[in-house]
Amino acid sequence: MLKFKFWEMLDSKNKQKLKTYLSIFIFFWALFILSNCGFDYAEGSFHYKLAEHIVTTGQLGFDTSQEGIFSIAPNGRTYASQEIGNTLFFLPTAFFNVILERILSPFATLKAISITKEFIRSFQPGFYSALTVTAFFGILRFQFGQAILPSFIATLCLAISTYFWTYTRESFDGVLCSTLLTASFLLLLNFIDSKKSPYLILAFICLGFSLITRISMILAIVASIGYLVLISRLSLIIRIKNVATALLIILPFLLWQSWYNHLRTGFFYLSPVQTDAKYLGNNALDGNVFTGLAGLLLSPGKSIFIYAPLLILSVVLFRKFFKEHQKEALYILVLTIAWFLLHARLRSWYGGGGWGPRYLVTVLPILFLPFAANIEYVLQRTSLKLSAIFLACFGFILSLSSIISHWYWRLDFARKDEVAYVWKFSNSQSLDMLKSATRNLVTSFKIATHSPAIQKQNLWYLHSDIEAYGSHTVNIWPNSLVFIGIPWYLVAILVAFLLLIMYLSIRNIFHLEATSKMTD
């Protein structure tokens, strides 16, 4: 009843906006579900472990030492070295899985239960990512005033022609931060239009949660407060009031972070990732900033322009974007410079064990805006359109290769010569993945045709046969489920259902586009 009353309270414009948001979200969520592999090697697995520990014991710490991203605190207990945000968002999934384990334990083996729980958990990053691209679409459609179809095309380019797609399968906490950052910017833009304080409050709640997920998100908070000051055309008193509101919202998150730091390290201003020697190889801020910048921009193995090639057009179109959206362009510029300088200074500027420059995936939607906001202009200029098609196709092929194969197990080969993996084209991570995906497709074909040569090879050396099979063939869950014996027709029904949802969403988007043109 409440749902129907809420719907009746909306005017036709807001009803159409809500339908559009839902159609975009459902389409991309179904897409990311389809392209998921069903398992996840990111450090989010340890964040989930803590979430399950909290659900079952109600405690933040462990009595005994733990493997992975955990450190022993001054009080002798073991706590997660990384921040709490990703764990908080895993709590509902952990609660569901704990109940599921209790239900299944009398009937299923521990291994089967473990695989089932991992399978369920693996879809959470895709949910975050669907929210991210929905917010990104909202920025283009409702804040920059683009038509529905161009906004959808630009959003699709972000989703599948960049390494954003790969990270829809990774519970890396930077993925959650990307969602929170994109949502906060959409909410800030809504606040500018409506002057309604709930938008401002929600924007900085998102940024507060991002802070307790990754400390580097303090840069986004500073940029957002600067943007808030910049866009205010009101009196000085109201401007101060808005900034004070933002700071007041951030304060509880700062207090939590200070307490959590003190609990784990004995210092309120230091996190374990800053003090524990095992993290200094990646996180120490003593790297060569010029090497880091050169690598993030130009290296064949980790350049942002390799893994998100349409960002080249973001650079080309930035001047035009600046003329049309000056304050938003300044926000993007400040955040980009600060983010690149900080991460270029890291000893492991490319993010250690990751696909592409993983630390930059957090700000990727923001970096993508100058191109996306001008996509109608791009489509009207032959040279820009051809460039966009070429770059998008290359980005799609590279991203698809990382979906077909699995970048994580390829890191074992990278560690033999990590410098070449980053700097040498012939050994670069990007080229290696293209080759690996091609081999996987050949292997899949030979398995499908019952080639004895392939069946006799001992390929299965990963954590489980399922993961190994997926990583050497086509690394998506429908393929793996058939491999472990789930009837193919049941898998086909699930896939058909998701494809149907995507089709209905697309149809609804085109209908909304037509309706929008009639009302304009």
Side-chain angles (χ1 to χ4, degrees):
M1 291 297 294
L2 288 174
K3 181 172 72 173
F4 291 116
K5 287 181 180 179
F6 169 75
W7 183 255
E8 290 170 1
M9 290 170 60
L10 297 175
D11 58 29
S12 58
K13 184 178 179 180
N14 282 322
K15 284 180 180 178
Q16 187 182 47
K17 182 183 288 190
L18 185 58
K19 286 179 181 178
T20 306
Y21 273 128
L22 285 173
S23 297
I24 295 294
F25 173 77
I26 291 170
F27 174 84
F28 282 105
W29 194 19
L31 172 63
F32 298 152
I33 289 173
L34 272 173
S35 60
N36 194 37
C37 60
F39 52 90
D40 172 22
Y41 286 127
E43 63 254 29
S45 60
F46 299 110
H47 303 153
Y48 174 80
K49 180 179 181 179
L50 175 58
E52 204 169 270
H53 179 71
I54 292 172
V55 168
T56 55
T57 68
Q59 297 182 3
L60 278 173
F62 297 84
D63 294 327
T64 58
S65 62
Q66 302 290 315
E67 293 183 359
I69 53 100
F70 296 95
S71 302
I72 298 176
N75 64 7
R77 304 196 77 212
T78 299
Y79 297 92
S81 303
Q82 296 175 353
E83 313 317 321
I84 197 72
N86 214 17
T87 295
L88 294 179
F89 285 86
F90 268 130
L91 286 175
T93 306
F95 182 76
F96 177 84
N97 274 347
V98 167
I99 293 176
L100 183 65
E101 182 175 5
R102 290 173 181 170
I103 293 171
L104 295 179
S105 55
F107 315 104
T109 65
L110 288 177
K111 182 178 179 180
I113 293 172
S114 176
I115 290 173
T116 303
K117 288 165 60 179
E118 168 70 7
F119 185 74
I120 292 169
R121 183 184 69 80
S122 71
F123 290 96
Q124 188 150 333
F127 177 78
Y128 298 155
S129 300
L131 290 175
T132 304
V133 294
T134 302
F136 182 82
F137 173 89
I139 292 170
L140 298 177
R141 171 63 182 138
F142 301 113
Q143 301 306 319
F144 290 162
Q146 286 194 156
I148 291 176
L149 192 56
S151 299
F152 174 74
I153 293 171
T155 304
L156 187 65
C157 286
L158 170 65
I160 65 172
S161 76
T162 74
Y163 72 137
F164 181 92
W165 194 9
T166 311
Y167 280 92
T168 63
R169 318 199 304 180
E170 309 294 331
S171 55
F172 168 49
D173 52 17
V175 174
L176 173 58
C177 285
S178 182
T179 303
L180 295 168
L181 175 62
T182 310
S184 73
F185 191 48
L186 173 62
L187 290 163
L188 278 176
L189 291 170
N190 274 287
F191 171 68
I192 296 165
D193 283 349
S194 67
K195 302 297 185 292
K196 294 180 179 178
S197 57
Y199 288 120
L200 177 64
I201 293 169
L202 287 172
F204 279 88
I205 287 175
C206 287
L207 290 169
F209 276 110
S210 75
L211 175 66
I212 63 170
T213 303
R214 287 188 75 84
I215 296 175
S216 57
M217 290 301 291
I218 191 70
L219 299 177
I221 292 172
V222 172
S224 297
I225 290 174
Y227 177 68
L228 185 62
V229 172
L230 197 64
I231 52 88
S232 298
R233 298 178 181 176
L234 306 173
S235 68
L236 180 62
I237 294 176
I238 295 178
R239 187 178 297 184
I240 292 172
K241 178 183 174 183
N242 288 340
V243 173
T245 300
L247 293 174
L248 190 63
I249 294 165
I250 293 296
L251 182 61
F253 296 97
L254 282 172
L255 292 175
W256 160 267
Q257 190 62 43
S258 298
W259 176 83
Y260 196 42
N261 284 347
H262 186 269
L263 175 68
R264 296 176 296 165
T265 67
F267 302 95
F268 75 91
Y269 55 88
L270 289 175
S271 168
V273 296
Q274 298 167 287
T275 60
D276 196 318
K278 68 181 178 180
Y279 299 108
L280 295 181
N282 285 337
N283 298 326
L285 286 168
D286 58 1
N288 186 314
V289 69
F290 298 106
T291 300
L293 286 174
L296 291 171
L297 297 174
L298 301 173
S299 67
K302 293 291 183 175
S303 167
I304 184 69
F305 296 117
I306 296 291
Y307 296 89
L310 282 170
L311 288 184
I312 294 172
L313 293 185
S314 268
V315 175
V316 171
L317 294 166
F318 186 79
R319 185 176 179 181
K320 182 177 184 298
F321 181 78
F322 184 87
K323 289 180 180 178
E324 297 171 354
H325 308 282
Q326 189 175 42
K327 295 178 177 63
E328 290 72 27
L330 286 172
Y331 166 84
I332 293 171
L333 189 63
V334 168
L335 180 58
T336 300
I337 292 172
W339 199 267
F340 270 75
L341 287 176
L342 172 67
H343 292 91
R345 184 65 174 162
L346 291 174
R347 192 179 296 178
S348 179
W349 50 265
Y350 50 85
W355 170 242
R358 70 169 181 153
Y359 294 141
L360 301 187
V361 76
T362 299
V363 295
L364 179 59
I366 303 300
L367 301 179
F368 211 74
L369 281 173
F371 161 73
N374 285 293
I375 192 165
E376 290 178 286
Y377 175 81
V378 168
L379 295 174
Q380 293 167 1
R381 300 292 189 278
T382 302
S383 58
L384 287 175
K385 181 166 67 174
L386 292 175
S387 299
I389 292 171
F390 172 78
L391 294 171
C393 287
F394 173 76
F396 172 75
I397 291 169
L398 182 59
S399 298
L400 182 62
S401 72
S402 71
I403 298 294
I404 292 172
S405 186
H406 199 285
W407 62 264
Y408 188 86
W409 71 268
R410 296 298 304 172
L411 287 176
D412 287 337
F413 300 93
R415 293 186 178 108
K416 296 175 183 177
D417 191 353
E418 197 160 346
V419 174
Y421 210 58
V422 174
W423 292 104
K424 190 175 180 181
F425 175 76
S426 60
N427 293 88
S428 64
Q429 186 181 35
S430 49
L431 185 59
D432 175 78
M433 187 54 67
L434 289 169
K435 293 176 181 177
S436 176
T438 303
R439 287 193 296 269
N440 279 23
L441 291 174
V442 172
T443 301
S444 298
F445 174 76
K446 290 184 177 180
I447 289 176
T449 55
H450 308 290
S451 167
I454 293 298
Q455 290 179 347
K456 290 179 181 178
Q457 288 184 22
N458 182 23
L459 297 175
W460 326 124
Y461 57 82
L462 293 184
H463 291 179
S464 74
D465 286 355
I466 305 171
E467 296 164 7
Y469 177 80
S471 296
H472 288 85
T473 54
V474 177
N475 194 24
I476 55 175
W477 60 267
N479 183 38
S480 299
L481 287 186
V482 172
F483 169 73
I484 63 173
I486 304 297
W488 67 267
Y489 51 85
L490 292 181
V491 176
I493 289 171
L494 291 173
V495 170
F497 175 71
L498 290 168
L499 290 173
L500 176 63
I501 287 176
M502 291 175 66
Y503 166 74
L504 293 175
S505 299
I506 283 284
R507 191 179 68 172
N508 196 41
I509 289 167
F510 278 103
H511 174 72
L512 291 167
E513 169 77 358
T515 304
S516 175
K517 287 180 178 178
M518 292 175 60
T519 56
D520 284 348

